[in-house]
PDB file of all heavy atoms in Angstrom:
ATOM      1  N   GLY A1019     -26.684-199.268 118.221  1.00  0.00           N
ATOM      2  CA  GLY A1019     -26.134-200.613 118.208  1.00  0.00           C
ATOM      3  C   GLY A1019     -25.774-201.091 119.604  1.00  0.00           C
ATOM      4  O   GLY A1019     -26.115-202.210 120.004  1.00  0.00           O
ATOM      5  N   TYR A1020     -25.091-200.252 120.357  1.00  0.00           N
ATOM      6  CA  TYR A1020     -24.772-200.604 121.746  1.00  0.00           C
ATOM      7  C   TYR A1020     -26.054-200.842 122.548  1.00  0.00           C
ATOM      8  O   TYR A1020     -26.144-201.795 123.338  1.00  0.00           O
ATOM      9  CB  TYR A1020     -23.968-199.489 122.404  1.00  0.00           C
ATOM     10  CG  TYR A1020     -22.470-199.609 122.261  1.00  0.00           C
ATOM     11  CD1 TYR A1020     -21.720-198.545 121.735  1.00  0.00           C
ATOM     12  CD2 TYR A1020     -21.787-200.741 122.681  1.00  0.00           C
ATOM     13  CE1 TYR A1020     -20.334-198.625 121.630  1.00  0.00           C
ATOM     14  CE2 TYR A1020     -20.398-200.828 122.576  1.00  0.00           C
ATOM     15  CZ  TYR A1020     -19.683-199.773 122.051  1.00  0.00           C
ATOM     16  OH  TYR A1020     -18.306-199.857 121.951  1.00  0.00           O
ATOM     17  N   GLU A1021     -27.031-199.971 122.376  1.00  0.00           N
ATOM     18  CA  GLU A1021     -28.268-200.105 123.153  1.00  0.00           C
ATOM     19  C   GLU A1021     -28.970-201.428 122.873  1.00  0.00           C
ATOM     20  O   GLU A1021     -29.562-202.028 123.774  1.00  0.00           O
ATOM     21  CB  GLU A1021     -29.187-198.924 122.856  1.00  0.00           C
ATOM     22  CG  GLU A1021     -28.688-197.600 123.430  1.00  0.00           C
ATOM     23  CD  GLU A1021     -29.509-196.404 122.988  1.00  0.00           C
ATOM     24  OE1 GLU A1021     -30.229-196.510 121.968  1.00  0.00           O
ATOM     25  OE2 GLU A1021     -29.425-195.354 123.656  1.00  0.00           O
ATOM     26  N   THR A1022     -28.921-201.891 121.630  1.00  0.00           N
ATOM     27  CA  THR A1022     -29.554-203.169 121.286  1.00  0.00           C
ATOM     28  C   THR A1022     -28.936-204.305 122.097  1.00  0.00           C
ATOM     29  O   THR A1022     -29.644-205.135 122.684  1.00  0.00           O
ATOM     30  CB  THR A1022     -29.389-203.445 119.782  1.00  0.00           C
ATOM     31  OG1 THR A1022     -30.130-202.464 119.039  1.00  0.00           O
ATOM     32  CG2 THR A1022     -29.894-204.833 119.424  1.00  0.00           C
ATOM     33  N   GLN A1023     -27.607-204.357 122.137  1.00  0.00           N
ATOM     34  CA  GLN A1023     -26.961-205.445 122.863  1.00  0.00           C
ATOM     35  C   GLN A1023     -27.061-205.255 124.373  1.00  0.00           C
ATOM     36  O   GLN A1023     -27.213-206.235 125.118  1.00  0.00           O
ATOM     37  CB  GLN A1023     -25.506-205.579 122.411  1.00  0.00           C
ATOM     38  CG  GLN A1023     -25.380-206.007 120.941  1.00  0.00           C
ATOM     39  CD  GLN A1023     -24.017-206.572 120.587  1.00  0.00           C
ATOM     40  OE1 GLN A1023     -23.204-206.860 121.455  1.00  0.00           O
ATOM     41  NE2 GLN A1023     -23.774-206.749 119.299  1.00  0.00           N
ATOM     42  N   MET A1024     -26.986-204.011 124.844  1.00  0.00           N
ATOM     43  CA  MET A1024     -27.161-203.756 126.278  1.00  0.00           C
ATOM     44  C   MET A1024     -28.496-204.281 126.768  1.00  0.00           C
ATOM     45  O   MET A1024     -28.582-204.972 127.780  1.00  0.00           O
ATOM     46  CB  MET A1024     -27.098-202.250 126.555  1.00  0.00           C
ATOM     47  CG  MET A1024     -25.735-201.625 126.493  1.00  0.00           C
ATOM     48  SD  MET A1024     -25.814-199.843 126.804  1.00  0.00           S
ATOM     49  CE  MET A1024     -26.308-199.811 128.525  1.00  0.00           C
ATOM     50  N   GLU A1025     -29.541-203.942 126.043  1.00  0.00           N
ATOM     51  CA  GLU A1025     -30.880-204.362 126.443  1.00  0.00           C
ATOM     52  C   GLU A1025     -30.989-205.875 126.490  1.00  0.00           C
ATOM     53  O   GLU A1025     -31.557-206.439 127.433  1.00  0.00           O
ATOM     54  CB  GLU A1025     -31.918-203.786 125.480  1.00  0.00           C
ATOM     55  CG  GLU A1025     -33.346-204.163 125.827  1.00  0.00           C
ATOM     56  CD  GLU A1025     -34.369-203.605 124.839  1.00  0.00           C
ATOM     57  OE1 GLU A1025     -33.958-203.032 123.804  1.00  0.00           O
ATOM     58  OE2 GLU A1025     -35.574-203.760 125.108  1.00  0.00           O
ATOM     59  N   ALA A1026     -30.421-206.547 125.484  1.00  0.00           N
ATOM     60  CA  ALA A1026     -30.533-208.005 125.416  1.00  0.00           C
ATOM     61  C   ALA A1026     -29.780-208.675 126.565  1.00  0.00           C
ATOM     62  O   ALA A1026     -30.282-209.618 127.191  1.00  0.00           O
ATOM     63  CB  ALA A1026     -30.009-208.496 124.066  1.00  0.00           C
ATOM     64  N   ILE A1027     -28.578-208.188 126.873  1.00  0.00           N
ATOM     65  CA  ILE A1027     -27.769-208.809 127.930  1.00  0.00           C
ATOM     66  C   ILE A1027     -28.349-208.490 129.300  1.00  0.00           C
ATOM     67  O   ILE A1027     -28.448-209.370 130.170  1.00  0.00           O
ATOM     68  CB  ILE A1027     -26.306-208.343 127.827  1.00  0.00           C
ATOM     69  CG1 ILE A1027     -25.690-208.833 126.508  1.00  0.00           C
ATOM     70  CG2 ILE A1027     -25.491-208.851 129.015  1.00  0.00           C
ATOM     71  CD1 ILE A1027     -24.338-208.226 126.187  1.00  0.00           C
ATOM     72  N   GLU A1028     -28.740-207.247 129.512  1.00  0.00           N
ATOM     73  CA  GLU A1028     -29.287-206.865 130.812  1.00  0.00           C
ATOM     74  C   GLU A1028     -30.630-207.538 131.070  1.00  0.00           C
ATOM     75  O   GLU A1028     -30.970-207.817 132.222  1.00  0.00           O
ATOM     76  CB  GLU A1028     -29.398-205.352 130.912  1.00  0.00           C
ATOM     77  CG  GLU A1028     -28.037-204.669 131.009  1.00  0.00           C
ATOM     78  CD  GLU A1028     -28.123-203.175 131.193  1.00  0.00           C
ATOM     79  OE1 GLU A1028     -29.132-202.572 130.760  1.00  0.00           O
ATOM     80  OE2 GLU A1028     -27.186-202.586 131.763  1.00  0.00           O
ATOM     81  N   LYS A1029     -31.378-207.836 130.031  1.00  0.00           N
ATOM     82  CA  LYS A1029     -32.632-208.571 130.191  1.00  0.00           C
ATOM     83  C   LYS A1029     -32.386-209.952 130.772  1.00  0.00           C
ATOM     84  O   LYS A1029     -33.235-210.513 131.486  1.00  0.00           O
ATOM     85  CB  LYS A1029     -33.345-208.678 128.842  1.00  0.00           C
ATOM     86  CG  LYS A1029     -34.740-209.290 128.912  1.00  0.00           C
ATOM     87  CD  LYS A1029     -35.402-209.282 127.546  1.00  0.00           C
ATOM     88  CE  LYS A1029     -36.800-209.878 127.605  1.00  0.00           C
ATOM     89  NZ  LYS A1029     -37.458-209.879 126.262  1.00  0.00           N
ATOM     90  N   LEU A1030     -31.211-210.508 130.491  1.00  0.00           N
ATOM     91  CA  LEU A1030     -30.834-211.816 131.032  1.00  0.00           C
ATOM     92  C   LEU A1030     -30.227-211.707 132.430  1.00  0.00           C
ATOM     93  O   LEU A1030     -29.887-212.716 133.046  1.00  0.00           O
ATOM     94  CB  LEU A1030     -29.823-212.493 130.104  1.00  0.00           C
ATOM     95  CG  LEU A1030     -30.294-212.837 128.681  1.00  0.00           C
ATOM     96  CD1 LEU A1030     -29.130-213.337 127.851  1.00  0.00           C
ATOM     97  CD2 LEU A1030     -31.415-213.869 128.721  1.00  0.00           C
TER      98      LEU A1030
END
Side-chain angles (χ1 to χ4, degrees):
Y1020 270 126
E1021 290 173 341
T1022 294
Q1023 295 198 12
M1024 286 179 67
E1025 180 181 7
I1027 296 170
E1028 290 184 333
K1029 186 177 181 180
L1030 297 173

